[in-house]
Structures are given as C-alpha cells and as structure tokens.
Amino acid sequence: MQRVLVSACLLGQPVRYDGGTVVTEGGILARWQMEGRVIPVCPEMAGGLPVPRPPAEIHGEGGGAAVLRGAARVFEHHGRDVTGAFVRGAQRALAAAQEAGAQVAVLTERSPSCGSAFLYDGTFSGQLQPGQGVTAALLRQHGIRVFSQHQLEDAAHLLAILDRDGSVGKP
C-alpha cells in the first residue's frame, strides 16, 4: 500500500499561521487516514516556526525553486526573514516522505511552503500568481508527485495505480 504525505492543516490539525485548519470536501483524506496511508506534515512547524505566526510570502521571482537555489527569500509580513525555517521544513518533509516511500503528496494550495500551483505574490496584498512553495518544489525535485487539496480525486487515482503497479514514471 502506497503512503501519501499530507499537509497537517488538511487533516484538521490547527497548524496554519493563524492557528486554523483548511476544510476539504469528501472523504478521501479520512479514508486514507483509516487505511494508514497518511504521513502528516506541517513544513513550517517542522522548520521551527510557532503557531500562531505572522503570515509569510516568497519575495523574488521563481517561487520555491528559487528559494532553494538562494535566488529568492521568504519574509514575514513585518520583514523578518524566515527562509531558513522554510528550507529546513521542506527538507524534513522530504525526509519523512522518503522514509515512508511516499511517491505522492497532497499539500495546501497558496502556501509559501505547500502551494503547488499558486502562491501569494510577495506583496501581502492578497494577489495570487502561478508558482509553487518551497516544500512543493523540493518534493517535485525528488520525483514526488504533488497535488493540492483541490486535486484529491487525481491524487487518489494515482495512488490506485501505484498500489496496482507499484510505481510509475517520474513526473
């Protein structure tokens, strides 16, 4: 049975920057939990950040991949550089996925750690732009397929294929 890395806030754990959670529709995550597939992770907490914490956004072009290359930084709303915590958290999430043999992750969209398709633009104005967070970028660099909470059906389909076939080609 394939395991799946999942953002802890999607599982009802109050770990978001504001101490909240993210509500998901349907029972896919609950089913995975009952099956023992889920590896919960909050990269920001794993990197040493508290709850609650000030909101943070990636500053600079290139999203999470640029942060990993040192070409962009992650700053809190009031200007504190938290790049190190985001990178550490991404590394710890990757280590957890690799230890469990997970080839799939479901992460929270729009997060500077977990966003898989969209991020806030770094101005703290609520504007979104295409991009991926630090953890999503690192996982993808290591061949782990990353989905958002809006793509649970797609992730479930891939897990079913992996369960049946054992592996699929790298993304």
Side-chain angles (χ1 to χ4, degrees):
M1 175 180 64
Q2 294 291 316
R3 306 283 306 279
V4 59
L5 191 76
V6 179
S7 292
C9 61
L10 296 175
L11 301 169
Q13 295 180 25
V15 296
R16 282 176 38 99
Y17 76 94
D18 60 0
T21 65
V22 177
V23 177
T24 59
E25 299 296 320
I28 292 174
L29 292 177
R31 184 180 80 232
W32 289 347
Q33 285 181 290
M34 289 185 347
E35 294 171 351
R37 291 183 185 270
V38 172
I39 306 151
V41 65
C42 174
E44 293 170 25
M45 287 189 65
L49 296 174
V51 174
R53 58 191 168 271
E57 295 185 8
I58 296 174
H59 291 252
E61 297 295 318
V67 171
L68 293 168
R69 289 191 315 272
R73 309 291 296 170
V74 184
F75 289 97
E76 290 179 340
H77 186 261
H78 297 294
R80 183 170 79 121
D81 187 332
V82 290
T83 303
F86 276 74
V87 172
R88 273 191 309 279
Q91 291 167 338
R92 290 180 178 150
L94 173 63
Q98 289 176 329
E99 183 177 313
Q103 299 177 57
V104 176
V106 175
L107 304 177
T108 307
E109 193 62 270
R110 302 180 183 178
S111 160
S113 287
C114 297
S116 60
F118 293 97
L119 300 172
Y120 290 103
D121 69 1
T123 64
F124 296 95
S125 64
Q127 296 298 309
L128 291 173
Q129 64 183 10
Q132 59 188 342
V134 179
T135 298
L138 186 63
L139 294 175
R140 284 181 170 147
Q141 288 173 5
H142 286 84
I144 297 171
R145 297 284 304 269
V146 178
F147 298 87
S148 78
Q149 74 269 27
H150 307 297
Q151 299 171 306
L152 285 170
E153 292 288 340
D154 295 333
H157 179 72
L158 178 58
L159 281 176
I161 292 169
L162 291 169
D163 279 345
R164 185 186 70 226
D165 298 344
S167 67
V168 295
K170 301 269 184 201

